Structure formats: C-alpha cells, structure tokens
C-alpha cells in the first residue's frame, strides 16, 4: 500500500496542493496491482450498457455481500465502479485524501494520496477508462492516469477565497467538466486550459 509513513507538516501539505503532477508509488504490491490493471485496460474498451430497467432491478435484487475489503485507511466519502468487464474494480476516495483501488474479483487493494483533504467525488473518464477524476475539499481536481501512473492537476481554486473547496464534479465531454465550488457556484472547466471558462451562481454556499 502506498501510504505515508509519517505525518506531513502543514508546509508540506500546502506545497503538495500546488504540485502539477503527483507520481503513483510503484513498488511491491502496488506495482503488480497497477501492471495487472494496465493489462486489463489495454485488452478491452468500456462499453455502454443496453440492459433494460427491469433487468437491472432483477440483478440488484440478486446481489449478495460476497467480499469485504478496507480500501482506505479512513472513512470513505466517495465511490464509483470502474467499467472494466474482466474484473470488478472499485474506486474510492476517503476523508484523508486517499484514492483507493480495490480489485474485488481477484483481491488486492492499493492506496494513493493525491489530495490533502477529504475526497468528495470520484468518477471514471467517460471517454478513456484509464483515467479517474477526483475532487477534493483541498480545492483541487486531479486526474489519475493509470497508464502513466501519475495524478495530473486538472484544476485548482483560488486559495485566497474564503470558500476555496470543491464539492463535486461531472464530466460533460472529453475536454470539459463541471465543478461545484464552495461559494455555491458551478464552473465549466476546460481540461485543455485547466481553467474555468464560465461561472454560474447557483446557491449562496456549497
């Protein structure tokens, strides 16, 4: 598991927010886990489901608790299921800024810490299954590139703002995501420019 061995200082945490790229630690079990995941991603592409609602309801009713794993060291605050068909891969974000990857089919968990505050939202890129977006209370949106083994800084709020945290994101297309800001505004982020192109005032607060 790629987790810190000592508690970082406030200055180290602040500096970490500014880092444009945070490499994934690839040693031991985490390296094997990522190698297997990369192989699976290269062998298949995500496909849209054509199941009917009735079929989905039937499948949901037949679900049983099969396995349990601790994917994060602290409370899980966001989760999504990766669209891989060859295995069940769970992506989770935690209170302490971790991103956990759990291979529920074959077993195995790896943890990374791309954020320094709670992770509020995690989603898989709907055009590239090798990428995972995560939004954090630290005011950043990062994109985990599982092929390149790096967390890319996609967007960062102005730290001088009284409400600089981000609570949610939603991908619109290959180049655009929406983010919900602590000020109650929703922003349209251009992933190429890594900047908000337009703000919409929706609520007084987040």
């Amino acid at each position: 598991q790629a987790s810190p061995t000592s508690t970082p200082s406030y200055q180290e945490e602040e500096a970490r927010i500014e880092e444009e790229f945070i490499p994934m630690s690839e040693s031991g079990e985490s390296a094997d886990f990522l190698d297997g995941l990369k192989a699976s991603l290269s062998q298949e592409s995500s496909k849209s489901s054509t199941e009917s609602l009735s079929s989905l309801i039937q499948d949901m009713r037949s679900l049983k608790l099969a396995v349990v794993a601790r994917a994060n060291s602290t409370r899980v605050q966001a989760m999504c299921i990766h669209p891989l068909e060859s295995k069940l891969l769970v992506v989770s974000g935690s209170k302490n800024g971790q991103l956990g990857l759990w291979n529920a089919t074959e077993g195995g968990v790896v943890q990374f810490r791309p954020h320094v505050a709670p992770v509020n939202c995690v989603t898989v890129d709907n055009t590239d299954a090798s990428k995972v977006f995560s939004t954090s209370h630290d005011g950043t949106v990062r994109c985990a590139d599982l092929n390149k083994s790096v967390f890319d800084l996609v967007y960062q709020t102005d730290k001088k703002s009284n409400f600089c945290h981000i609570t949610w994101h939603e991908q619109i297309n290959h180049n655009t995501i929406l983010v919900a800001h602590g000020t109650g505004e929703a922003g349209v982020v251009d992933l190429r420019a890594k900047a908000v192109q337009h703000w919409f005032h929706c609520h007084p607060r987040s």
Side-chain angles (χ1 to χ4, degrees):
Q1 296 179 351
S3 57
T5 56
S6 60
T7 303
S9 67
Y10 174 80
Q11 290 78 11
E12 290 173 328
E13 295 283 70
E14 285 293 298
R16 188 176 177 82
I17 295 176
E18 302 287 343
E19 292 182 23
E20 185 173 359
F21 299 101
I22 297 178
M24 295 181 183
S25 175
E26 293 189 78
S27 59
E29 293 182 3
S30 64
D32 295 337
F33 186 102
L34 288 174
D35 286 343
L37 183 55
K38 291 173 186 177
S40 297
L41 287 168
S42 65
Q43 292 171 3
E44 64 177 80
S45 59
S46 58
K47 301 177 182 178
S48 59
S49 175
T50 57
E51 292 182 331
S52 64
L53 178 59
S54 59
S55 176
L56 176 61
I57 293 175
Q58 184 177 358
D59 289 342
M60 293 292 288
R61 286 175 175 170
S62 65
L63 289 177
K64 295 181 180 179
L65 181 62
V67 289
V68 177
R70 189 176 182 85
N72 300 86
S73 61
T74 58
R75 184 176 65 209
V76 172
Q77 300 203 163
M79 187 195 77
C80 71
I81 305 298
H82 196 282
L84 271 176
E85 295 183 353
S86 60
K87 62 186 69 176
L88 177 59
L89 181 67
V90 180
V91 183
S92 58
S94 70
K95 182 180 179 181
N96 68 344
Q98 283 182 342
L99 188 74
L101 301 177
W102 172 31
N103 183 345
T105 301
E106 302 167 349
V109 171
V110 292
Q111 299 169 356
F112 305 99
R113 192 162 179 261
H115 300 282
V116 301
V119 176
N120 299 318
C121 183
V122 290
T123 62
V124 179
D125 189 319
N126 55 32
T127 62
D128 184 350
S130 69
K131 296 179 179 180
V132 176
F133 291 103
S134 57
T135 289
S136 172
H137 215 74
D138 64 13
T140 65
V141 179
R142 289 192 178 272
C143 178
D145 190 321
L146 301 176
N147 283 326
K148 296 181 179 179
S149 301
V150 67
F151 291 95
D152 183 15
L153 180 60
V154 171
Y155 172 71
Q156 180 181 5
T157 59
D158 182 2
K159 293 195 298 181
K160 296 179 181 179
S161 169
N162 291 330
F163 307 104
C164 65
H165 58 279
I166 303 176
T167 59
W168 166 89
H169 72 260
E170 178 69 25
Q171 186 178 8
I172 303 302
N173 55 45
H174 181 66
N175 296 316
T176 311
I177 62 171
L178 294 179
V179 295
H181 196 275
T183 58
E185 295 175 301
V188 181
V189 177
D190 187 324
L191 297 176
R192 296 162 297 184
K194 297 185 177 181
V196 170
Q197 303 301 304
H198 189 78
W199 286 108
F200 296 93
H201 186 74
C202 303
H203 303 281
R205 288 278 298 275
S206 62

